[in-house]
Structure formats: structure tokens, C-alpha cells
Amino acid sequence: LPEEDCMQLNPSFKGIAFNSLLAIDICMSKRLGVCANRASSWGGARSMINLLGITGHGIPWIAGTLICLVKSSTLAGQEVLMNLLLALLLDIMIVAGLQKLAKRKGPYDINPGLLDYLTMDTYAFPAGHASRVAMLSKFFLNHLVLAIPLRILLVLWALCVGLSRVMIGRHHITDVLSGFVFGYLQFRLVELIWMSSNTCQMLISIW
């Protein structure tokens, strides 16, 4: 037999392990998709879960950041907001590129919404909402002075948004976990290329 046929007949241990984990991921994701449609066990809560997901969407965050940037009168505030805007734009571009490469569909046949199309968040891997909330949480924890209860709520919010994407059937568990990882890496990238106050003022003056 040709070598490739022998490989199919005798799959490697890595191949078996990968396929097994993939099957577990799909099975668990379908079980957690309790709001995937109106007929699901938690179908009545779908609107509420969708609303929670919107809090992690890119368009409202970009719009809110721009409004705060216009209203901000301090150099320190403008520096943080400009870098936050950079982080949000990088998140959209990086996630869109990775999704186009992977082209993984979600566990359920759920059509993306209008906001998802605007941010090119049309595939499942990695989860754009998960990457965004992970990046935002880490950004705020590092650059804002927050009381401990608020810091805990910020982390819980990120986890709940990630879970909501699985519950409505848009993403697998691994999509969300990968999104959290990519979100943290995006935060590290923004820290590396952090724009100084002078650079931010120059960009604002051009704008």
C-alpha cells in the first residue's frame, strides 16, 4: 500500500488523541449550547445571554472609546484611551485573520449577526468576544486603579461573556479558551508597542 494509505490505516497516537479531544470538545460544546435556539432547554433566556455577549462586542467598545477620547481633557487619559483603541483595532484584525485561516464552524448552525459581520467575526475559531474581553480585562487591571471587588467583577464578566458564546451555540469550548489565550497575547503585544503621550498627541492632532 502507498505510505499515505498505511498512515490512514495505522493512525499515530497523536492523531488518535487529537481526534478524541476534538470529539469531546464538540460533544461538550453541544451539551452546553442550552440557548442555541428557542427550542433548547434554556431557549427563553437566549435574549438575555445574547445581551451579555453584546457587552463584549468590538463595535460598542470602539464607539465608547472614541467618545471618551473626544471628551478626555488629560494627557494621561488620552494616552490610555489611544492605546486602548489600538488594542481594540488589533484584536479585530488579528481575530479576523485567524478565523479566515481556520474557517472552523460552530457546534450549531447559527448565522452571525450584523455586528459580527461588521467586525468580520463570522467563524468560530478563535472566539472574538473571548479574546476581546480577556484583552480588555487585563488592560483595565493593569492601567486603572480599581478596588478589589471591581477587579473580581471584571474577571467574572470576562468569564461569563466567554461562557455565553458557548451557551448560544456560536463557539466550541476550545474556541473560547483559545480566544482567552489570544486576548492575553494581544495585551502583551500592545504593552510592547505602547504609544507614548507625545505619539498619541500627534495622532490626535492629525485626527
Side-chain angles (χ1 to χ4, degrees):
L1 292 173
E3 184 180 351
E4 58 269 20
D5 291 338
C6 292
M7 291 175 65
Q8 291 177 2
L9 291 173
N10 301 289
S12 65
F13 174 76
K14 289 183 179 179
I16 294 173
F18 176 77
N19 289 331
S20 299
L21 291 174
L22 191 61
I24 293 171
D25 178 37
I26 294 172
C27 179
M28 292 299 296
S29 300
K30 283 184 174 289
R31 285 180 177 274
L32 286 175
V34 292
C35 302
N37 51 59
R38 293 294 180 184
S40 301
S41 55
W42 289 18
R46 182 174 170 79
S47 299
M48 186 186 305
I49 301 299
N50 267 323
L51 186 61
L52 176 60
I54 290 175
T55 65
H57 205 285
I59 297 298
W61 277 102
I62 290 174
T65 302
L66 288 172
I67 292 171
C68 292
L69 189 57
V70 169
K71 292 183 176 294
S72 178
S73 58
T74 64
L75 295 179
Q78 290 173 352
E79 179 183 345
V80 171
L81 288 167
M82 280 296 293
N83 282 281
L84 176 59
L85 182 61
L86 171 65
L88 290 167
L89 294 175
L90 281 175
D91 173 74
I92 288 176
M93 290 187 293
I94 291 172
V95 170
L98 291 170
Q99 286 189 357
K100 289 293 183 182
L101 287 174
K103 292 186 177 179
R104 188 187 191 191
K105 299 264 181 92
Y108 290 89
D109 189 18
I110 306 294
N111 293 324
L114 176 61
L115 291 178
D116 296 321
Y117 280 111
L118 289 176
T119 54
M120 297 172 287
D121 186 11
T122 53
Y123 289 101
F125 179 89
H129 287 65
S131 72
R132 195 167 302 113
V133 295
M135 181 272 294
L136 288 169
S137 297
K138 187 62 178 168
F139 189 96
F140 291 146
L141 289 173
N142 270 49
H143 296 288
L144 295 182
V145 179
L146 300 173
I148 291 178
L150 288 177
R151 296 172 77 88
I152 294 173
L153 284 175
L154 192 60
V155 174
L156 289 176
W157 165 71
L159 294 174
C160 288
V161 170
L163 178 60
S164 73
R165 305 305 289 169
V166 180
M167 292 177 67
I168 65 169
R170 277 281 282 119
H171 296 281
H172 300 87
I173 296 171
T174 51
D175 300 332
V176 171
L177 294 178
S178 300
F180 287 150
V181 173
F182 282 117
Y184 175 77
L185 294 177
Q186 289 165 9
F187 163 77
R188 299 301 302 173
L189 175 61
V190 171
E191 292 292 295
L192 286 174
I193 61 174
W194 185 270
M195 294 186 293
S196 65
S197 180
N198 291 335
T199 304
C200 293
Q201 291 306 307
M202 181 185 69
L203 292 173
I204 291 173
S205 64
I206 294 172
W207 177 34

